[in-house]
Amino acid sequence: MIQLHQISFSYGDLSVLEKVSFRVERGEFVFLLGPSGSGKTTLLRLLYADLEPIGGDLSVVGQPLAQLDKVSLPYFRQKIGLVFQDFKFLADKTVQDNLALPQRLVGTPPQTIKENVHKLLNQMGLLHHQNALPAEISGNERRRLAIARSVINNPLLLLADAPTEGLDLRLSLEVMALLDALNFQGMTIFVATSDRQLAEKCNKRIIELRDGGIH
Ligand code: ADP
Ligand code: MG
């Protein structure tokens, strides 16, 4: 699902990743654990082809990224769900419309959209807020909505960047339980976090990123 071979990346003179290699198999749930500034966000951006490595090869959802061109990029991105730190919603659209939109964009039939939205809102504990605006639900609920939106088109791989940042351990474990349920349905989950306690509590595989390398 993810294969990195000797991947290096720098911003100008600042070297962030040095010859990083690892692989993640289909169906795995993996934490990328590292302190702030260790390069987690950078690595995620490389995985969905938002940045290009300066050296090495990587392949994601079966696609060698060096061979990705402008035409195949949107098709590639459709296979990946992204939960990023600054989740933005359409402020004047309801919770359910925010989930319906990404499906309309890929041409999902209206009845299927309705069913998918209902199922996912139920799974994320947001059904009672379906007609609310994003600003009318709590920060914690918006975070669950962000996860729902990232998986509504049923991606093969979910990349989550610090999805529990700012939450206490109890709420963090709740978010992890949602991700675990998605993993159980077959989705490969890759979560970047600086929270060692959380990563260790979840009993999943941990890849540690430190000083530009994997440990
Ligand atoms: P993390 O997500 O683990 O906190 P980042 O990948 O955001 O780490 O950052 C890794 C390093 O790269 C940090 O030193 C950060 O300051 C630097 N960095 C991140 N983004 C940029 C950028 N767009 N331009 C220059 N430096 C950056
Ligand atoms: Mg980050």
Side-chain angles (χ1 to χ4, degrees), residues 13-57:
D13 291 342
L14 177 72
S15 169
V16 178
L17 301 172
E18 284 170 40
K19 299 195 171 174
V20 169
S21 303
F22 65 83
R23 47 187 297 158
V24 172
E25 306 300 333
R26 193 182 194 119
E28 272 198 283
F29 187 135
V30 178
F31 283 101
L32 178 68
L33 175 66
S36 177
S38 59
K40 301 180 298 298
T41 297
T42 302
L43 199 151
L44 291 179
R45 290 179 66 193
L46 286 163
L47 293 182
Y48 68 93
D50 189 34
L51 293 174
E52 265 182 51
I54 56 170
D57 300 307

Side-chain angles (χ1 to χ4, degrees), residues 165-185:
E165 193 164 61
L167 298 181
D168 64 19
L169 185 62
R170 187 182 62 84
L171 288 175
S172 296
L173 288 171
E174 272 182 33
V175 171
M176 287 306 143
L178 296 174
L179 298 184
D180 212 17
L182 294 166
N183 181 236
F184 189 73
Q185 294 163 21

